[in-house]
Every structure is written in C-alpha cells, then in structure tokens.
Amino acid sequence: MDEQSGYGLLRETCEELFAVGKAVSGIGEQGVESAQTADTILPQGKAVSPLTAARCAREFARTSRFIRGLHAVLLKAQSRCDGQTIHMLYAGCGPYATLILPLLPYLPRDGFRFTLIDIHPLALDGARKAIAHFGYDEFIRDYLLTDACSADFAARQPFQVAVTETMNLAMEKEPQLAVSANLVKHLEPDGILVPEQITVTATLLDSGREFTVLPADHQGEIPPLQRRRLKLGTVMELNQAALKEFNPENAATHLPPVSVPWPDKTERDNMRPALLTYIRVFGEHDLSCYDCSLTLPKYLRVGATPDVASELVFSYRLGEIPGFEYSVADG
C-alpha cells in the first residue's frame, strides 16, 4: 500500500502474503494434491488451477499495483455514492482473495461488501478460509462457485465496482475478455471495471538490445539502455466502452481483424515482431513491459515475408483457446 516501498520490501511482503495464504488455505507448494494443480478449460478460455492462482501473489509488482489501483477505485466509488455501501464483484478470486485481503484493514466495515467468484471449489474454499482467519467475514456478501464468463448476477445487483485478473500475456489462453464483458453488463451505469484498460500493441524489437549486458568485472556507472523498437500499431484496446459493444453470444469465432503497417525489409532491419501488453489498473497505477509476467513481450513467428512494405493482419480468436492469429497480407 505504501507508494514509497522499494522492490526488495515489496518482494518480501508478497512472499509473506503467499506463506500466510498457504498456511491458512492449505494451498501452496508443499504436499500438492491433484485438485490444486488442475486447470479448468471453459468455453471462453482456461481458468488456471488454484495453485497457479496462489503463485500469482508472489509477483510483487503485479500484486501491489493491482491492490493500490483497486483501493483507489473503491475510494472513488465511495465518494460518488454519498454514504451508500459499495458492492464489488471479484471474479477469479483464487485461494487467497489476493486483491482484497490486504485492503480490508483499510476499509470501514459498514462501507463495503464483496462477492467472491471462482470456478474451482478448492480455490473458493481457500478464499473463505483466508477471510475468516483474519475476521473479515462481515465484508463478504457471498461466495459463488460459478463460471464468471456467463453467470447471471442480476439478482445480486447493484455493483459499483468489478475486478478480474484472469489473463495471460497478450490476452492469450485465459478468459479475461469474456469475464470482463460479463461483469460490465452487471455494473451500475457509473460503475468501474478493474483493470481500467488493457492495450496490446504490435512492435518490432531488437531483442539483443532489450537489456544492457555488462561484463562480470564491470565497474562504475551503468551505461543508459539503448533499446531499438518500432511500434507498428495497436491491435486491442480493452476498456468499458469497448466491452459494452461486445456480445459474446453474437460474436463469431474471431473479433474483426485489425491491420498494422508491415515495413519493408530495410526498415525492419532484422528486428523481431512482438506483442506488448500494457495494463492500466486505474489512473496512475499501471503495469508496463517487463513489470510482471503479464507484460513480457510475446514474440511472433511470422515466417517468410515480402521485402516490400505490406500489412500485418491480426484477428483475435475466441473460444476455448483465445489469442491472436496473424499473417502478413499478400501483395
């Protein structure tokens, strides 16, 4: 929660959070049972196993920035609602309820209520144990064992805030799009979805200059990093406005294609194409390239391409294995 915390302290804190969650929920690295490690393949993507969800807590930049952003959202929603109790949907809560458990000591007990959702019984039971262990049951309105991609939450409205972090890098494999689209349908007109925006861009990278590699005996100042990149264009921009236009029931197998310029061979100059993911949790709280596993470059295998300028066409595949398909346009 402290904006001045250094990486070392954040890493230590998130390791402690993982250790406490493991001790309380029984889900962790020791004595792993098959139910802990089993993913669930949904019609709209993969719901990662309880163990994988638990391990996410250890990514200190990801965890801290989501928590800080969510705290800012809850305070903003409270300021809008003039004393009304704020109700939040948390889809994919995992076994530790990672994004809200550290927040609850900062919130008034009469001001906020949460509905926690997960598809895995073991994960939902773990979250229940974690909340109860710290005496925060009063904050919880409900625990729902359901598929957040398609469940109808109308009977439990209103919701002023909804959060889901059910994604992988470059929006592949996991159901972030489908979950987000369903949550948005159940928000109040001025409700807030977290993350606020996910942007995926196509970029050419000189992979050999992404990091500064120094000899073991280097002394003195570290030379400034000289990355070489060429942004081609945005291939996805996911926010509330876009999600309100998306109806998975009417969608085909793919979203409409998006084209970006594909430079000629000279301009590409041996750079490699990649998808870069940027996550704006809320306001100034964001995750950029290399901040966590969600924002690592996803390098693309384009294969043989023409020497002359063309277009690189992207189409986002829906269904059990969501993700981008791409090819260089003919001619």
Side-chain angles (χ1 to χ4, degrees):
M1 293 292 290
D2 184 357
E3 298 282 351
Q4 305 306 313
S5 297
Y7 282 172
L9 179 57
L10 287 175
R11 182 184 294 109
E12 179 183 342
T13 301
C14 286
E15 287 294 336
E16 290 179 0
L17 174 61
F18 178 77
V20 169
K22 178 173 65 173
V24 172
S25 70
I27 297 174
E29 301 294 347
Q30 301 299 322
V32 173
E33 57 186 281
S34 59
Q36 289 193 28
T37 60
D39 298 327
T40 296
I41 305 302
L42 305 170
Q44 295 87 4
K46 179 175 72 174
V48 299
S49 71
L51 180 58
T52 299
R55 287 172 175 164
C56 292
R58 305 173 79 172
E59 289 202 49
F60 59 91
R62 172 179 174 178
T63 297
S64 61
R65 292 179 203 177
F66 260 91
I67 289 171
R68 292 171 186 173
L70 189 54
H71 186 231
V73 166
L74 291 172
L75 295 183
K76 184 177 183 66
Q78 187 181 46
S79 69
R80 287 179 176 179
C81 294
D82 193 25
Q84 179 183 353
T85 299
I86 302 303
H87 188 192
M88 189 190 91
L89 268 175
Y90 179 5
C93 64
Y96 304 163
T98 303
L99 301 186
I100 67 165
L101 188 60
L103 280 181
L104 298 182
Y106 294 85
L107 302 177
R109 290 178 180 260
D110 60 349
F112 298 89
R113 292 294 179 267
F114 301 87
T115 291
L116 274 57
I117 307 161
D118 208 283
I119 194 70
H120 296 112
L122 202 61
L124 200 64
D125 186 57
R128 184 183 285 108
K129 289 176 180 176
I131 296 291
H133 176 81
F134 290 101
Y136 295 140
D137 301 83
E138 188 178 350
F139 280 103
I140 308 303
R141 180 174 291 182
D142 210 349
Y143 294 93
L144 300 179
L145 182 66
T146 189
D147 179 358
C149 299
S150 55
D152 187 349
F153 304 113
R156 294 174 169 83
Q157 288 174 299
F159 298 105
Q160 291 78 29
V161 179
V163 62
T164 185
E165 197 273 84
T166 47
M167 63 180 293
N168 202 336
L169 78 165
M171 291 290 290
E172 64 175 14
K173 298 180 182 177
E174 297 183 35
Q176 180 79 27
L177 172 60
V179 174
S180 300
N182 193 34
L183 297 184
V184 162
K185 291 193 304 184
H186 296 93
L187 279 172
E188 290 284 272
D190 62 348
I192 306 171
L193 177 70
V194 178
E196 190 173 21
Q197 181 158 299
I198 301 168
T199 305
V200 182
T201 62
T203 302
L204 291 174
L205 308 178
D206 183 342
S207 55
R209 290 170 59 174
E210 283 294 289
F211 299 98
T212 300
V213 180
L214 300 175
D217 59 352
H218 178 81
Q219 296 181 0
E221 294 186 3
I222 298 176
L225 188 62
Q226 300 290 332
R227 284 180 175 150
R228 191 164 68 101
R229 294 180 172 182
L230 177 62
K231 180 179 177 180
L232 303 179
T234 298
V235 297
M236 176 178 281
E237 199 165 74
L238 199 65
N239 51 38
Q240 282 183 240
L243 287 163
K244 287 178 181 177
E245 300 297 322
F246 173 70
N247 185 346
E249 295 180 358
N250 296 335
T253 57
H254 295 71
L255 296 184
V258 176
S259 297
V260 299
W262 181 248
D264 64 34
K265 184 177 181 179
T266 302
E267 192 174 0
R268 296 198 304 270
D269 191 23
N270 295 317
M271 289 190 287
R272 299 174 61 190
L275 293 177
L276 302 183
T277 307
Y278 169 78
I279 304 168
R280 186 169 74 235
V281 180
F282 185 72
E284 63 183 11
H285 305 283
D286 61 5
L287 290 160
S288 297
C289 194
Y290 298 115
D291 281 340
C292 68
S293 65
L294 302 180
T295 59
L296 297 175
K298 171 68 175 178
Y299 285 99
L300 308 179
R301 297 183 179 181
V302 175
T305 62
D307 292 346
V308 298
S310 182
E311 289 185 332
L312 188 57
V313 183
F314 290 87
S315 182
Y316 188 76
R317 180 182 61 248
L318 304 172
E320 292 184 357
I321 311 176
F324 283 99
E325 296 176 357
Y326 50 89
S327 62
V328 175
D330 295 333

